[in-house]
Coordinates of all heavy atoms in Angstrom, one line a residue:
M1 N 117.0 -0.2 -152.7 CA 116.3 -0.9 -151.6 C 115.2 -0.1 -151.1 O 115.2 1.2 -151.1 CB 117.3 -1.0 -150.4 CG 116.9 -1.8 -149.3 SD 116.6 -3.6 -149.6 CE 118.2 -4.1 -150.2
T2 N 114.1 -0.7 -150.8 CA 112.8 -0.1 -150.4 C 112.7 0.0 -149.0 O 113.4 -0.7 -148.2 CB 111.7 -0.9 -151.0 OG1 111.6 -2.1 -150.6 CG2 111.7 -0.8 -152.6
D3 N 111.7 0.8 -148.5 CA 111.5 0.9 -147.0 C 111.1 -0.3 -146.3 O 111.4 -0.5 -145.1 CB 110.4 1.9 -146.8 CG 110.8 3.4 -147.2 OD1 112.1 3.6 -147.4 OD2 110.0 4.3 -147.3
F4 N 110.5 -1.2 -147.0 CA 109.9 -2.5 -146.4 C 110.9 -3.6 -146.3 O 110.7 -4.7 -145.7 CB 108.6 -2.9 -146.9 CG 108.7 -3.6 -148.3 CD1 108.5 -4.9 -148.4 CD2 109.0 -2.8 -149.4 CE1 108.7 -5.6 -149.6 CE2 109.0 -3.4 -150.6 CZ 108.9 -4.8 -150.7
I5 N 112.0 -3.4 -146.9 CA 113.1 -4.5 -146.9 C 114.4 -3.9 -146.4 O 114.9 -2.8 -146.9 CB 113.4 -5.1 -148.3 CG1 112.1 -5.6 -148.9 CG2 114.5 -6.1 -148.2 CD1 112.3 -6.1 -150.3
R6 N 115.1 -4.6 -145.4 CA 116.3 -4.2 -145.0 C 117.1 -5.5 -144.8 O 116.5 -6.6 -144.7 CB 116.4 -3.3 -143.8 CG 116.0 -3.9 -142.5 CD 116.0 -2.9 -141.4 NE 115.6 -3.5 -140.1 CZ 116.3 -4.3 -139.4 NH1 117.6 -4.5 -139.7 NH2 115.8 -4.9 -138.3
F7 N 118.4 -5.4 -144.7 CA 119.1 -6.6 -144.4 C 120.4 -6.4 -143.6 O 120.9 -5.3 -143.6 CB 119.5 -7.4 -145.7 CG 120.3 -6.7 -146.7 CD1 121.8 -6.8 -146.7 CD2 119.8 -5.9 -147.7 CE1 122.6 -6.2 -147.6 CE2 120.6 -5.1 -148.6 CZ 122.0 -5.3 -148.5
E8 N 120.9 -7.4 -143.0 CA 122.2 -7.4 -142.3 C 123.0 -8.6 -143.0 O 122.5 -9.6 -143.0 CB 121.9 -7.7 -140.8 CG 121.2 -6.6 -140.1 CD 120.9 -7.0 -138.7 OE1 121.2 -8.0 -138.1 OE2 120.2 -6.1 -138.1
K9 N 124.2 -8.3 -143.3 CA 125.1 -9.2 -144.0 C 126.4 -9.4 -143.2 O 127.1 -8.4 -142.8 CB 125.3 -8.6 -145.4 CG 126.0 -9.6 -146.3 CD 126.1 -9.1 -147.7 CE 126.9 -10.0 -148.6 NZ 127.0 -9.6 -149.9
S10 N 126.8 -10.7 -143.3 CA 128.2 -11.0 -142.8 C 128.8 -11.9 -144.0 O 128.1 -12.1 -145.0 CB 128.2 -11.7 -141.5 OG 127.7 -13.0 -141.7
D11 N 129.9 -12.4 -143.8 CA 130.5 -13.3 -144.9 C 129.8 -14.5 -145.1 O 129.7 -15.1 -146.1 CB 132.0 -13.6 -144.5 CG 133.0 -12.4 -144.7 OD1 132.6 -11.5 -145.3 OD2 134.0 -12.4 -144.1
S12 N 129.1 -15.1 -143.9 CA 128.5 -16.4 -144.1 C 127.0 -16.3 -144.0 O 126.4 -17.3 -144.3 CB 129.0 -17.3 -142.9 OG 128.7 -16.7 -141.7
L13 N 126.4 -15.1 -143.6 CA 124.8 -15.1 -143.4 C 124.4 -13.8 -143.8 O 125.0 -12.7 -143.5 CB 124.6 -15.4 -141.9 CG 123.2 -15.2 -141.5 CD1 122.2 -16.1 -142.2 CD2 123.0 -15.2 -140.0
T14 N 123.3 -13.8 -144.6 CA 122.6 -12.5 -144.8 C 121.1 -12.8 -144.1 O 120.5 -13.8 -144.5 CB 122.4 -12.2 -146.3 OG1 123.6 -11.9 -146.8 CG2 121.5 -11.0 -146.5
T15 N 120.7 -11.8 -143.3 CA 119.4 -11.8 -142.8 C 118.6 -10.8 -143.5 O 118.9 -9.6 -143.4 CB 119.3 -11.7 -141.3 OG1 120.1 -12.7 -140.7 CG2 117.9 -11.8 -140.7
V16 N 117.5 -11.1 -144.1 CA 116.6 -10.2 -144.8 C 115.4 -9.9 -144.0 O 114.7 -10.9 -143.6 CB 116.1 -10.7 -146.2 CG1 115.3 -9.7 -146.9 CG2 117.4 -11.0 -147.2
F17 N 115.2 -8.7 -143.6 CA 114.0 -8.3 -142.8 C 113.0 -7.6 -143.6 O 113.3 -6.7 -144.3 CB 114.5 -7.3 -141.7 CG 115.4 -7.9 -140.7 CD1 116.8 -7.8 -140.9 CD2 115.0 -8.5 -139.5 CE1 117.7 -8.3 -140.1 CE2 116.0 -9.0 -138.6 CZ 117.3 -8.9 -138.9
I18 N 111.8 -8.2 -143.6 CA 110.7 -7.7 -144.4 C 109.6 -7.2 -143.4 O 109.3 -7.8 -142.6 CB 110.2 -8.8 -145.4 CG1 111.3 -9.3 -146.3 CG2 109.0 -8.2 -146.3 CD1 110.9 -10.5 -147.1
S19 N 109.0 -6.1 -143.8 CA 107.9 -5.6 -143.0 C 106.7 -5.1 -143.8 O 106.9 -4.9 -145.0 CB 108.4 -4.4 -142.1 OG 108.8 -3.4 -142.9
G20 N 105.5 -5.0 -143.2 CA 104.4 -4.6 -143.9 C 103.7 -5.7 -144.6 O 103.5 -6.8 -144.2
E21 N 103.2 -5.4 -145.9 CA 102.5 -6.3 -146.8 C 103.5 -6.8 -147.9 O 104.2 -6.1 -148.5 CB 101.3 -5.7 -147.4 CG 100.3 -5.3 -146.3 CD 99.0 -4.7 -146.9 OE1 98.9 -4.7 -148.1 OE2 98.2 -4.4 -146.0
V22 N 103.4 -8.1 -148.2 CA 104.1 -8.7 -149.3 C 103.0 -9.2 -150.3 O 102.3 -10.1 -150.0 CB 105.1 -9.8 -149.0 CG1 105.8 -10.3 -150.2 CG2 106.0 -9.3 -147.8
D23 N 102.8 -8.4 -151.4 CA 101.8 -8.8 -152.3 C 102.3 -8.6 -153.8 O 103.5 -8.3 -154.0 CB 100.6 -8.0 -152.1 CG 100.8 -6.5 -152.0 OD1 101.7 -6.0 -152.7 OD2 99.9 -5.8 -151.4
L24 N 101.4 -8.6 -154.8 CA 101.8 -8.6 -156.1 C 102.5 -7.2 -156.5 O 103.4 -7.2 -157.3 CB 100.5 -8.7 -157.0 CG 100.8 -8.9 -158.5 CD1 101.7 -10.1 -158.8 CD2 99.4 -9.0 -159.2
A25 N 102.2 -6.2 -155.7 CA 102.8 -4.9 -155.9 C 104.3 -4.9 -155.6 O 105.1 -4.1 -156.2 CB 102.1 -3.8 -155.2
N26 N 104.7 -5.7 -154.7 CA 106.1 -5.6 -154.2 C 106.9 -6.9 -154.1 O 108.0 -7.0 -153.7 CB 106.2 -4.9 -152.9 CG 105.5 -5.5 -151.8 OD1 105.1 -6.7 -151.8 ND2 105.2 -4.8 -150.7
S27 N 106.2 -8.0 -154.4 CA 106.8 -9.4 -154.3 C 108.0 -9.5 -155.2 O 108.9 -10.2 -154.9 CB 105.8 -10.5 -154.6 OG 105.3 -10.4 -155.8
A28 N 108.1 -8.9 -156.4 CA 109.2 -8.9 -157.3 C 110.4 -8.3 -156.6 O 111.5 -8.9 -156.7 CB 109.0 -8.2 -158.6
E29 N 110.3 -7.3 -155.8 CA 111.5 -6.7 -155.1 C 111.9 -7.6 -154.1 O 113.1 -7.7 -153.8 CB 111.0 -5.3 -154.5 CG 112.1 -4.6 -153.8 CD 113.2 -4.1 -154.7 OE1 112.9 -3.8 -156.0 OE2 114.3 -3.9 -154.3
V30 N 111.0 -8.3 -153.4 CA 111.3 -9.4 -152.3 C 112.1 -10.4 -153.0 O 113.2 -10.8 -152.5 CB 110.1 -9.9 -151.6 CG1 110.4 -11.1 -150.7 CG2 109.4 -8.8 -150.8
R31 N 111.6 -10.9 -154.1 CA 112.3 -12.1 -154.8 C 113.7 -11.7 -155.2 O 114.6 -12.4 -155.1 CB 111.4 -12.4 -156.1 CG 112.1 -13.5 -156.9 CD 111.2 -13.9 -158.0 NE 111.5 -13.7 -159.4 CZ 112.4 -13.1 -160.0 NH1 113.4 -12.6 -159.4 NH2 112.6 -13.1 -161.3
K32 N 113.8 -10.5 -155.8 CA 115.1 -9.9 -156.3 C 116.1 -9.8 -155.1 O 117.2 -10.2 -155.3 CB 114.9 -8.6 -157.0 CG 116.1 -8.1 -157.6 CD 115.8 -6.8 -158.5 CE 115.7 -5.6 -157.6 NZ 115.6 -4.4 -158.4
T33 N 115.6 -9.3 -154.0 CA 116.5 -9.2 -152.8 C 117.0 -10.6 -152.3 O 118.2 -10.7 -152.0 CB 115.7 -8.4 -151.7 OG1 115.4 -7.1 -152.2 CG2 116.6 -8.2 -150.5
I34 N 116.0 -11.4 -152.2 CA 116.4 -12.9 -151.7 C 117.4 -13.5 -152.6 O 118.4 -14.0 -152.2 CB 115.1 -13.6 -151.5 CG1 114.3 -13.2 -150.3 CG2 115.4 -15.2 -151.3 CD1 112.9 -13.8 -150.1
L35 N 117.1 -13.5 -153.9 CA 118.1 -14.1 -154.8 C 119.4 -13.4 -154.9 O 120.5 -14.2 -155.0 CB 117.4 -14.1 -156.2 CG 116.1 -15.1 -156.4 CD1 115.7 -14.9 -157.8 CD2 116.5 -16.5 -156.1
A36 N 119.5 -12.1 -154.8 CA 120.8 -11.5 -154.7 C 121.5 -11.9 -153.5 O 122.7 -12.1 -153.5 CB 120.6 -10.0 -154.7
A37 N 120.9 -12.0 -152.3 CA 121.5 -12.4 -151.1 C 122.1 -13.8 -151.2 O 123.1 -14.2 -150.8 CB 120.5 -12.3 -149.9
L38 N 121.3 -14.7 -151.9 CA 121.6 -16.1 -152.0 C 122.9 -16.2 -153.0 O 123.6 -17.2 -152.9 CB 120.5 -17.0 -152.5 CG 119.4 -17.3 -151.5 CD1 118.2 -17.8 -152.2 CD2 120.0 -18.4 -150.5
K39 N 123.1 -15.3 -153.9 CA 124.2 -15.3 -154.8 C 125.5 -14.9 -154.1 O 126.5 -15.2 -154.6 CB 123.9 -14.4 -156.0 CG 122.8 -15.1 -156.9 CD 122.5 -14.2 -158.1 CE 121.4 -14.8 -158.9 NZ 120.8 -13.9 -159.9
T40 N 125.3 -14.2 -153.0 CA 126.6 -13.6 -152.4 C 126.9 -14.1 -151.0 O 128.0 -13.9 -150.5 CB 126.3 -12.1 -152.2 OG1 125.3 -11.7 -151.4 CG2 126.2 -11.4 -153.6
T41 N 126.0 -14.9 -150.4 CA 126.3 -15.5 -149.1 C 125.8 -16.9 -149.1 O 124.8 -17.3 -149.7 CB 125.8 -14.8 -147.9 OG1 124.4 -14.6 -148.1 CG2 126.4 -13.4 -147.6
P42 N 126.5 -17.9 -148.3 CA 126.0 -19.3 -148.3 C 124.7 -19.5 -147.5 O 124.2 -20.6 -147.7 CB 127.2 -20.0 -147.7 CG 128.0 -19.0 -146.9 CD 127.7 -17.6 -147.6
E43 N 124.3 -18.6 -146.7 CA 123.1 -18.8 -145.9 C 122.3 -17.5 -145.9 O 122.8 -16.5 -145.6 CB 123.4 -19.3 -144.5 CG 122.2 -19.6 -143.7 CD 122.5 -20.1 -142.3 OE1 123.7 -20.2 -141.9 OE2 121.5 -20.4 -141.6
V44 N 121.0 -17.7 -146.0 CA 120.0 -16.5 -146.0 C 118.9 -16.9 -145.1 O 118.3 -18.0 -145.3 CB 119.6 -16.2 -147.5 CG1 118.4 -15.1 -147.4 CG2 120.7 -15.7 -148.3
K45 N 118.6 -16.0 -144.2 CA 117.4 -16.2 -143.3 C 116.5 -15.0 -143.7 O 117.0 -13.9 -143.8 CB 117.8 -16.1 -141.9 CG 118.6 -17.3 -141.4 CD 118.9 -17.2 -139.9 CE 119.6 -18.4 -139.4 NZ 118.8 -19.5 -139.1
V46 N 115.2 -15.3 -143.8 CA 114.2 -14.2 -144.1 C 113.4 -14.1 -142.8 O 112.6 -14.9 -142.4 CB 113.3 -14.4 -145.3 CG1 112.3 -13.4 -145.5 CG2 114.2 -14.7 -146.5
D47 N 113.5 -12.9 -142.2 CA 112.8 -12.5 -140.9 C 111.4 -12.0 -141.4 O 111.4 -10.9 -142.0 CB 113.6 -11.6 -140.1 CG 112.9 -11.3 -138.7 OD1 111.8 -10.9 -138.7 OD2 113.6 -11.5 -137.8
L48 N 110.3 -12.7 -141.0 CA 109.0 -12.3 -141.4 C 108.2 -11.8 -140.2 O 107.0 -11.8 -140.2 CB 108.3 -13.4 -142.1 CG 109.0 -13.9 -143.4 CD1 108.4 -15.2 -143.9 CD2 108.9 -12.8 -144.4
S49 N 108.9 -11.4 -139.1 CA 108.2 -11.0 -137.9 C 107.2 -9.8 -138.0 O 106.3 -9.6 -137.3 CB 109.1 -10.8 -136.7 OG 110.1 -9.8 -137.0
A50 N 107.6 -8.8 -139.0 CA 106.9 -7.6 -139.1 C 106.0 -7.7 -140.4 O 105.5 -6.7 -140.8 CB 107.8 -6.5 -139.3
V51 N 105.7 -8.9 -141.0 CA 104.9 -9.0 -142.1 C 103.5 -9.1 -141.6 O 103.1 -10.1 -141.0 CB 105.3 -10.2 -143.1 CG1 104.3 -10.3 -144.2 CG2 106.7 -9.8 -143.6
E52 N 102.6 -8.2 -142.1 CA 101.2 -8.2 -141.6 C 100.3 -9.0 -142.6 O 99.3 -9.5 -142.3 CB 100.7 -6.8 -141.6 CG 101.5 -5.9 -140.5 CD 101.4 -4.4 -140.8 OE1 100.6 -4.0 -141.8 OE2 102.0 -3.7 -140.1
Y53 N 100.8 -9.1 -143.8 CA 100.0 -9.7 -144.9 C 100.9 -10.2 -146.0 O 101.8 -9.6 -146.3 CB 99.0 -8.8 -145.5 CG 98.2 -9.3 -146.7 CD1 97.2 -10.1 -146.5 CD2 98.7 -9.1 -148.0 CE1 96.5 -10.6 -147.6 CE2 98.0 -9.6 -149.1 CZ 96.9 -10.4 -148.9 OH 96.2 -10.9 -150.0
I54 N 100.7 -11.5 -146.4 CA 101.4 -12.1 -147.5 C 100.4 -12.8 -148.5 O 99.6 -13.5 -147.9 CB 102.5 -12.9 -147.0 CG1 103.5 -13.3 -148.2 CG2 102.0 -14.1 -146.3 CD1 104.8 -14.0 -147.7
D55 N 100.6 -12.6 -149.8 CA 99.7 -13.3 -150.6 C 100.5 -14.3 -151.4 O 101.6 -14.6 -151.2 CB 98.9 -12.4 -151.6 CG 99.8 -11.7 -152.6 OD1 101.0 -12.0 -152.8 OD2 99.3 -10.8 -153.4
S56 N 99.9 -15.0 -152.4 CA 100.5 -16.1 -153.1 C 101.7 -15.6 -153.9 O 102.7 -16.4 -154.0 CB 99.5 -16.7 -154.1 OG 99.0 -15.8 -155.0
S57 N 101.8 -14.4 -154.3 CA 103.1 -13.9 -155.1 C 104.1 -13.8 -154.0 O 105.4 -14.0 -154.4 CB 102.7 -12.7 -155.8 OG 102.4 -11.6 -154.8
G58 N 103.9 -13.4 -152.8 CA 104.9 -13.3 -151.7 C 105.4 -14.7 -151.4 O 106.6 -14.9 -151.2
I59 N 104.5 -15.7 -151.3 CA 104.9 -17.0 -150.9 C 105.7 -17.6 -152.1 O 106.7 -18.2 -151.8 CB 103.6 -17.9 -150.7 CG1 102.8 -17.4 -149.5 CG2 103.9 -19.4 -150.7 CD1 103.5 -17.6 -148.2
A60 N 105.3 -17.2 -153.4 CA 106.1 -17.7 -154.5 C 107.5 -17.2 -154.5 O 108.4 -17.9 -154.9 CB 105.4 -17.2 -155.8
A61 N 107.7 -15.9 -154.0 CA 109.1 -15.4 -153.9 C 109.9 -16.2 -152.9 O 111.0 -16.4 -153.2 CB 109.0 -13.9 -153.5
M62 N 109.3 -16.6 -151.8 CA 109.9 -17.5 -150.8 C 110.3 -18.9 -151.4 O 111.4 -19.3 -151.2 CB 109.1 -17.6 -149.6 CG 108.6 -16.4 -148.9 SD 110.0 -15.4 -148.3 CE 109.2 -13.8 -148.3
V63 N 109.3 -19.4 -152.1 CA 109.6 -20.7 -152.8 C 110.7 -20.6 -153.8 O 111.6 -21.5 -153.8 CB 108.3 -21.3 -153.5 CG1 108.5 -22.4 -154.3 CG2 107.2 -21.6 -152.3
E64 N 110.8 -19.6 -154.6 CA 111.9 -19.3 -155.5 C 113.2 -19.3 -154.8 O 114.2 -19.8 -155.3 CB 111.7 -18.1 -156.4 CG 110.7 -18.3 -157.4 CD 110.7 -17.1 -158.4 OE1 111.7 -16.8 -159.0 OE2 109.6 -16.4 -158.5
G65 N 113.3 -18.6 -153.7 CA 114.5 -18.5 -152.8 C 114.9 -19.9 -152.4 O 116.1 -20.2 -152.6
L66 N 113.9 -20.7 -151.9 CA 114.3 -22.1 -151.4 C 114.8 -22.9 -152.6 O 115.8 -23.6 -152.4 CB 113.0 -22.7 -150.8 CG 113.1 -24.1 -150.4 CD1 114.2 -24.2 -149.3 CD2 111.7 -24.7 -149.9
Q67 N 114.2 -22.8 -153.8 CA 114.6 -23.6 -154.9 C 116.0 -23.2 -155.4 O 116.8 -24.1 -155.7 CB 113.6 -23.4 -156.1 CG 112.3 -24.2 -155.8 CD 111.2 -23.8 -156.9 OE1 111.2 -22.8 -157.5 NE2 110.3 -24.8 -157.1
F68 N 116.3 -21.9 -155.4 CA 117.6 -21.4 -155.8 C 118.6 -22.0 -154.8 O 119.7 -22.5 -155.2 CB 117.6 -19.9 -155.9 CG 119.0 -19.4 -156.3 CD1 119.2 -19.2 -157.7 CD2 120.0 -19.2 -155.3 CE1 120.4 -18.7 -158.0 CE2 121.2 -18.7 -155.8 CZ 121.4 -18.5 -157.1
A69 N 118.3 -21.9 -153.5 CA 119.2 -22.3 -152.5 C 119.5 -23.8 -152.7 O 120.7 -24.3 -152.6 CB 118.7 -22.0 -151.1
N70 N 118.5 -24.6 -152.8 CA 118.6 -26.0 -153.0 C 119.4 -26.4 -154.2 O 120.2 -27.4 -154.2 CB 117.3 -26.7 -153.0 CG 116.6 -26.7 -151.7 OD1 117.2 -26.5 -150.6 ND2 115.2 -26.9 -151.6
S71 N 119.2 -25.7 -155.3 CA 119.9 -25.9 -156.5 C 121.4 -25.5 -156.5 O 122.2 -26.0 -157.4 CB 119.2 -25.3 -157.8 OG 117.9 -25.7 -157.9
N72 N 121.7 -24.7 -155.6 CA 123.0 -24.0 -155.6 C 123.9 -24.3 -154.3 O 124.8 -23.6 -154.0 CB 123.0 -22.6 -155.9 CG 122.6 -22.3 -157.3 OD1 123.3 -22.4 -158.2 ND2 121.2 -22.0 -157.4
G73 N 123.4 -25.4 -153.5 CA 124.1 -25.7 -152.3 C 124.2 -24.6 -151.2 O 125.1 -24.5 -150.5
R74 N 123.1 -23.8 -151.2 CA 123.0 -22.7 -150.2 C 121.9 -23.1 -149.1 O 121.1 -24.0 -149.3 CB 122.5 -21.4 -150.9 CG 123.3 -21.0 -152.1 CD 124.6 -20.4 -151.7 NE 125.4 -20.0 -152.8 CZ 126.4 -19.1 -152.7 NH1 126.8 -18.7 -151.5 NH2 127.1 -18.8 -153.7
K75 N 122.0 -22.4 -148.0 CA 121.0 -22.6 -146.9 C 119.9 -21.6 -147.0 O 120.4 -20.3 -147.1 CB 121.6 -22.7 -145.6 CG 122.5 -23.9 -145.3 CD 123.0 -23.9 -143.9 CE 123.9 -25.0 -143.7 NZ 124.5 -25.0 -142.3
F76 N 118.7 -21.8 -146.8 CA 117.6 -20.8 -146.9 C 116.6 -21.2 -145.8 O 116.1 -22.3 -145.7 CB 117.0 -20.8 -148.3 CG 115.9 -19.8 -148.4 CD1 116.2 -18.5 -148.6 CD2 114.6 -20.2 -148.3 CE1 115.1 -17.5 -148.8 CE2 113.5 -19.2 -148.4 CZ 113.8 -17.9 -148.6
S77 N 116.2 -20.2 -145.0 CA 115.3 -20.5 -144.0 C 114.4 -19.2 -143.7 O 114.8 -18.1 -144.0 CB 115.9 -20.9 -142.7 OG 116.8 -19.9 -142.2
L78 N 113.3 -19.5 -143.1 CA 112.4 -18.4 -142.7 C 112.4 -18.3 -141.1 O 112.6 -19.4 -140.5 CB 111.0 -18.7 -143.1 CG 110.8 -19.0 -144.6 CD1 109.3 -19.3 -144.9 CD2 111.2 -17.8 -145.5
T79 N 112.4 -17.2 -140.6 CA 112.5 -17.1 -139.1 C 111.5 -16.0 -138.6 O 111.1 -15.1 -139.3 CB 114.0 -16.7 -138.8 OG1 114.2 -16.7 -137.4 CG2 114.5 -15.3 -139.3
N80 N 111.2 -16.2 -137.4 CA 110.3 -15.2 -136.7 C 109.1 -14.9 -137.4 O 108.7 -13.7 -137.7 CB 111.1 -13.8 -136.4 CG 112.3 -14.1 -135.5 OD1 112.3 -14.9 -134.6 ND2 113.4 -13.3 -135.7
L81 N 108.3 -16.0 -137.8 CA 107.1 -15.8 -138.5 C 106.1 -15.0 -137.8 O 105.8 -15.3 -136.6 CB 106.5 -17.1 -139.0 CG 107.5 -18.0 -139.8 CD1 106.7 -19.4 -140.1 CD2 108.1 -17.5 -140.9
S82 N 105.4 -14.1 -138.4 CA 104.2 -13.4 -137.8 C 103.1 -14.4 -137.8 O 103.2 -15.5 -138.5 CB 103.8 -12.1 -138.6 OG 103.3 -12.5 -139.8
S83 N 102.1 -14.2 -137.0 CA 101.0 -15.2 -136.9 C 100.3 -15.3 -138.3 O 99.9 -16.4 -138.6 CB 100.0 -14.7 -135.8 OG 99.5 -13.4 -136.1
H84 N 100.2 -14.3 -139.0 CA 99.6 -14.4 -140.3 C 100.4 -15.3 -141.3 O 99.8 -16.1 -141.9 CB 99.3 -13.0 -140.9 CG 98.8 -13.0 -142.4 ND1 97.6 -13.3 -142.6 CD2 99.5 -12.9 -143.5 CE1 97.4 -13.3 -143.9 NE2 98.5 -13.0 -144.5
V85 N 101.6 -15.0 -141.3 CA 102.5 -15.8 -142.3 C 102.5 -17.2 -141.8 O 102.3 -18.1 -142.6 CB 104.0 -15.2 -142.3 CG1 104.8 -16.2 -143.1 CG2 104.0 -13.9 -142.8
R86 N 102.6 -17.5 -140.5 CA 102.6 -18.8 -140.1 C 101.2 -19.5 -140.4 O 101.3 -20.7 -140.9 CB 102.7 -18.9 -138.5 CG 102.8 -20.3 -138.0 CD 103.2 -20.4 -136.5 NE 104.5 -19.9 -136.2 CZ 105.7 -20.5 -136.4 NH1 105.7 -21.7 -136.9 NH2 106.8 -19.9 -136.0
S87 N 100.1 -18.9 -140.2 CA 98.9 -19.6 -140.6 C 98.8 -19.9 -142.1 O 98.3 -20.9 -142.5 CB 97.7 -18.7 -140.1 OG 97.6 -17.5 -140.8
I88 N 99.2 -18.9 -143.0 CA 99.2 -19.2 -144.4 C 100.1 -20.3 -144.7 O 99.7 -21.3 -145.5 CB 99.7 -17.9 -145.2 CG1 98.7 -16.8 -144.9 CG2 99.9 -18.2 -146.6 CD1 97.3 -17.0 -145.5
L89 N 101.4 -20.4 -144.2 CA 102.2 -21.5 -144.5 C 101.6 -22.8 -144.0 O 101.8 -23.9 -144.7 CB 103.5 -21.2 -143.9 CG 104.4 -20.1 -144.5 CD1 105.8 -19.9 -143.8 CD2 104.6 -20.4 -145.9
E90 N 101.0 -22.9 -142.8 CA 100.5 -24.0 -142.2 C 99.3 -24.5 -143.2 O 99.1 -25.7 -143.4 CB 100.0 -23.9 -140.8 CG 101.2 -23.8 -139.9 CD 100.8 -23.4 -138.5 OE1 99.6 -23.1 -138.2 OE2 101.7 -23.4 -137.6
L91 N 98.4 -23.6 -143.6 CA 97.3 -23.9 -144.4 C 97.7 -24.5 -145.7 O 97.1 -25.5 -146.2 CB 96.5 -22.6 -144.7 CG 95.2 -22.7 -145.5 CD1 94.2 -23.6 -144.7 CD2 94.6 -21.4 -145.8
A92 N 98.8 -24.0 -146.3 CA 99.3 -24.6 -147.6 C 100.2 -25.8 -147.3 O 100.8 -26.3 -148.3 CB 100.0 -23.5 -148.3
R93 N 100.5 -26.1 -146.0 CA 101.4 -27.2 -145.6 C 102.9 -26.9 -146.1 O 103.7 -27.8 -146.2 CB 101.0 -28.5 -146.2 CG 99.7 -29.0 -145.6 CD 99.3 -30.4 -146.2 NE 98.1 -30.9 -145.5 CZ 98.1 -31.9 -144.5 NH1 99.3 -32.4 -144.2 NH2 97.1 -32.2 -144.0
L94 N 103.1 -25.6 -146.3 CA 104.5 -25.2 -146.6 C 105.4 -25.1 -145.4 O 106.6 -25.1 -145.5 CB 104.5 -23.9 -147.5 CG 104.0 -24.0 -148.8 CD1 103.8 -22.5 -149.4 CD2 104.8 -24.8 -149.7
D95 N 104.8 -25.2 -144.2 CA 105.6 -25.3 -143.0 C 106.4 -26.6 -143.0 O 107.3 -26.6 -142.2 CB 104.7 -25.0 -141.8 CG 103.6 -26.1 -141.6 OD1 103.0 -26.5 -142.7 OD2 103.4 -26.6 -140.5
Q96 N 106.0 -27.5 -143.7 CA 106.8 -28.8 -143.8 C 107.8 -28.8 -144.9 O 108.6 -29.7 -144.9 CB 105.7 -29.9 -144.0 CG 104.7 -30.1 -143.0 CD 103.6 -31.0 -143.3 OE1 103.8 -31.9 -144.1 NE2 102.5 -30.9 -142.7
V97 N 107.8 -27.8 -145.7 CA 108.7 -27.6 -146.8 C 109.9 -26.7 -146.4 O 111.1 -27.0 -146.7 CB 108.0 -27.1 -148.0 CG1 109.0 -26.9 -149.2 CG2 107.0 -28.1 -148.5
F98 N 109.6 -25.6 -145.8 CA 110.6 -24.6 -145.5 C 111.3 -25.0 -144.1 O 110.7 -25.6 -143.2 CB 110.0 -23.2 -145.2 CG 109.6 -22.5 -146.6 CD1 108.3 -22.5 -146.9 CD2 110.6 -21.9 -147.4 CE1 107.9 -21.8 -148.1 CE2 110.2 -21.4 -148.6 CZ 108.9 -21.3 -148.9
D99 N 112.5 -24.6 -144.0 CA 113.3 -24.6 -142.8 C 112.8 -23.4 -142.0 O 113.1 -22.3 -142.5 CB 114.8 -24.7 -143.0 CG 115.6 -24.7 -141.7 OD1 115.0 -25.0 -140.7 OD2 116.8 -24.5 -141.9
I100 N 112.1 -23.6 -140.9 CA 111.6 -22.5 -140.1 C 112.3 -22.5 -138.8 O 112.3 -23.5 -138.1 CB 110.1 -22.6 -140.0 CG1 109.5 -22.5 -141.4 CG2 109.6 -21.4 -139.1 CD1 108.0 -22.7 -141.4
D101 N 112.9 -21.3 -138.5 CA 113.5 -21.2 -137.2 C 112.5 -20.5 -136.1 O 111.8 -19.8 -136.4 CB 114.7 -20.2 -137.3 CG 115.8 -20.7 -138.1 OD1 115.9 -22.0 -138.4 OD2 116.6 -19.9 -138.7

């Protein structure tokens, strides 16, 4: 586990907290963490309140999580979006694709 990712887990929910920047240098770690959480709990929420920057590789990691969840009967949502993340998702119209709390 790296410094920019932490999580809280119960039997029914894992919340993944990401902070800092999500870019090509670390998006694989984000993707791996999200997919591992989805394999072990029925619901995963990704808290993006502390994300200052996200690029297309970071968005792709979120999309992969959503696709895995949809294919495996799991719930996947994004929560507490930072203003930067919200604007990127709205620009790409992904705010209409993701379940956002």
Side-chain angles (χ1 to χ4, degrees):
M1 192 59 60
T2 59
D3 291 346
F4 75 103
I5 301 174
R6 68 180 182 81
F7 62 91
E8 294 174 2
K9 183 176 178 180
S10 70
D11 290 340
S12 60
L13 172 67
T14 298
T15 304
V16 179
F17 297 88
I18 302 172
S19 60
E21 298 185 0
V22 182
D23 55 24
L24 191 57
N26 60 19
S27 61
E29 184 70 24
V30 170
R31 176 178 117 357
K32 186 171 83 173
T33 302
I34 289 170
L35 293 177
L38 283 165
K39 290 175 184 173
T40 60
T41 51
E43 182 175 4
V44 172
K45 292 182 181 276
V46 180
D47 185 303
L48 299 170
S49 59
V51 173
E52 301 157 2
Y53 174 81
I54 190 166
D55 71 4
S56 59
S57 65
I59 297 295
M62 303 300 153
V63 170
E64 280 190 62
L66 178 64
Q67 290 173 330
F68 182 91
N70 289 343
S71 297
N72 292 280
R74 307 285 182 163
K75 291 183 180 178
F76 180 81
S77 62
L78 306 178
T79 188
N80 299 325
L81 304 184
S82 67
S83 59
H84 173 75
V85 172
R86 184 172 298 281
S87 65
I88 295 295
L89 291 177
E90 288 173 354
L91 184 65
R93 294 183 175 253
L94 290 172
D95 60 321
Q96 299 172 21
V97 175
F98 286 104
D99 180 12
I100 300 173
D101 298 338

